[in-house]
Amino acid sequence: MVFAMQQSLGKRWCKLLASCTLTWPEVEIHIKRLRYQSSVAQISFPHLEAFVRGGGGGGASKKKSDSITSSTTDLFRSGPSKATSKEMDRIDHLFNQYANTSSNLIDPEGIEELCSNLEVPHTDIRILMLAWKMKAEKQGYFTQEEWRRGLKALRADTLSKLKKALPELEKEVRRQSNFADFYAYAFRYCLTEEKQKSIDIETICQLLDIVMGSTFRAQVDYFVEYLKIQNDYKVINMDQWMGFYRFCNEISFPEMTEYNPELAWPLVLDSFVEWISEKQA
């Protein structure tokens, strides 16, 4: 970098710089500062000469040089940090519009209002995707930290930007590399009680329709129908939930020729496949 700067300045500049006590980094920073302030590519020789002459000599000039260098460095550092601070202020302002003032949380009522302003039903999968992006831990609630995390990642510091970000968020979630994580998150998000490890059948059926219905419509319809008529299972656990995701991605439907009950499938899926086979016969 220093060599490149020397080459670009030429002999006249280098002779001038050799006569002073300033270092190359100090001169380089000043040149960048001048270009930043004036928005021009070339810096005049008289301008740089005035800077160098003022910075050469004894201790007082050295202090002046340090001051210039420090202020220039601060100039470059403060730009992005100020922009980030303003962005976070707008994100917080948006949070406060929907947060409960007593709990400092966006609660179910606040989420319902948010959905209304976004013109999205509160049961829309994109709201669940938004919770996934925030890494929200408690169903129906967003903390300020979660809100900041999600909206900063989406670069959405206003309601209109958040609304425009939802289609891109859906594309992101539906990528194969992300969807399995989102699918698992959807189950965990519905664990509303401490130490809860399973979800009742009715809720599972609703969740399957929201999360998987648009991608695996036939499999979801059949599985929901089976879950509603069977009497062996009152709840579904994470292993069974993920097993159905694997089933949808690995087994052709409705043929199911690849399905082998001898492999490590949850028993509920063995029963489901047997039920379909009898239904088709």
Side-chain angles (χ1 to χ4, degrees):
M1 178 65 74
V2 169
F3 177 74
M5 183 68 72
Q6 290 172 332
Q7 290 289 95
S8 66
L9 290 175
K11 293 181 180 179
R12 184 186 182 195
W13 301 75
C14 292
K15 184 177 180 181
L16 169 66
L17 295 171
S19 66
C20 72
T21 59
L22 297 179
T23 64
W24 276 108
E26 289 170 340
V27 175
E28 184 181 0
I29 287 175
H30 183 65
I31 291 173
K32 287 182 179 179
R33 175 171 173 265
L34 293 175
R35 286 175 178 170
Y36 177 82
Q37 291 177 333
S38 59
S39 302
V40 296
Q42 299 297 325
I43 306 302
S44 66
F45 181 83
H47 201 150
L48 184 61
E49 182 179 22
F51 167 71
V52 171
R53 297 299 185 195
S61 61
K62 177 60 178 173
K63 289 181 180 179
K64 182 178 179 182
S65 167
D66 290 343
S67 175
I68 294 173
T69 303
S70 176
S71 62
T72 305
T73 304
D74 290 343
L75 174 66
F76 283 98
R77 286 178 178 173
S78 63
S81 63
K82 285 183 179 179
T84 301
S85 177
K86 289 181 178 179
E87 179 190 34
M88 198 59 68
D89 287 344
R90 290 190 292 268
I91 289 174
D92 287 345
H93 177 71
L94 192 59
F95 175 84
N96 292 330
Q97 290 183 28
Y98 300 101
N100 184 312
T101 53
S102 60
S103 64
N104 197 36
L105 296 170
I106 297 180
D107 57 18
E109 184 177 343
I111 292 178
E112 189 172 343
E113 182 183 355
L114 173 65
C115 292
S116 177
N117 292 341
L118 289 172
E119 299 178 338
V120 173
H122 70 277
T123 56
D124 193 292
I125 189 173
R126 287 171 294 180
I127 300 304
L128 185 58
M129 290 175 174
L130 182 59
W132 171 81
K133 192 67 176 178
M134 294 181 187
K135 299 181 181 178
E137 295 184 359
K138 187 177 181 181
Q139 187 184 55
Y141 295 87
F142 297 150
T143 68
Q144 188 168 16
E145 181 182 355
E146 292 165 349
W147 180 266
R148 285 176 169 179
R149 181 190 300 129
L151 268 65
K152 185 176 181 181
L154 293 172
R155 297 180 180 178
D157 55 9
T158 64
L159 185 68
S160 60
K161 287 181 182 179
L162 180 57
K163 187 175 182 179
K164 291 177 181 178
L166 291 181
E168 290 302 317
L169 173 61
E170 184 169 6
K171 290 180 183 179
E172 177 188 350
V173 172
R174 292 196 181 280
R175 293 190 196 114
Q176 190 173 3
S177 57
N178 292 327
F179 195 78
D181 182 70
F182 169 72
Y183 182 81
Y185 170 83
F187 184 91
R188 294 193 304 270
Y189 191 59
C190 290
L191 300 175
T192 56
E193 303 294 331
E194 189 176 355
K195 297 183 180 180
Q196 181 183 350
K197 294 184 179 180
S198 57
I199 301 173
D200 65 274
I201 293 297
E202 182 179 357
T203 302
I204 282 292
C205 291
Q206 295 172 352
L207 194 59
L208 282 170
D209 185 62
I210 293 172
V211 176
M212 296 279 276
S214 63
T215 309
F216 300 101
R217 184 76 269 169
Q219 293 93 318
V220 169
D221 286 346
Y222 271 96
F223 194 47
V224 166
E225 181 184 353
Y226 167 73
L227 290 175
K228 288 182 176 179
I229 65 171
Q230 57 81 36
N231 296 312
D232 297 325
Y233 301 92
K234 302 297 181 185
V235 296
I236 294 294
N237 60 33
M238 176 65 93
D239 182 60
Q240 294 163 333
W241 173 258
M242 295 306 297
F244 182 68
Y245 176 81
R246 179 185 159 207
F247 174 87
C248 290
N249 282 278
E250 296 181 11
I251 307 300
S252 60
F253 195 85
E255 298 83 7
M256 303 182 296
T257 52
E258 306 93 340
Y259 191 85
N260 183 355
E262 299 300 320
L263 299 179
W265 292 101
L267 290 177
V268 66
L269 289 176
D270 289 343
S271 301
F272 171 56
V273 170
E274 185 178 343
W275 174 78
I276 292 182
S277 299
E278 293 175 356
K279 192 179 179 71
Q280 291 174 342

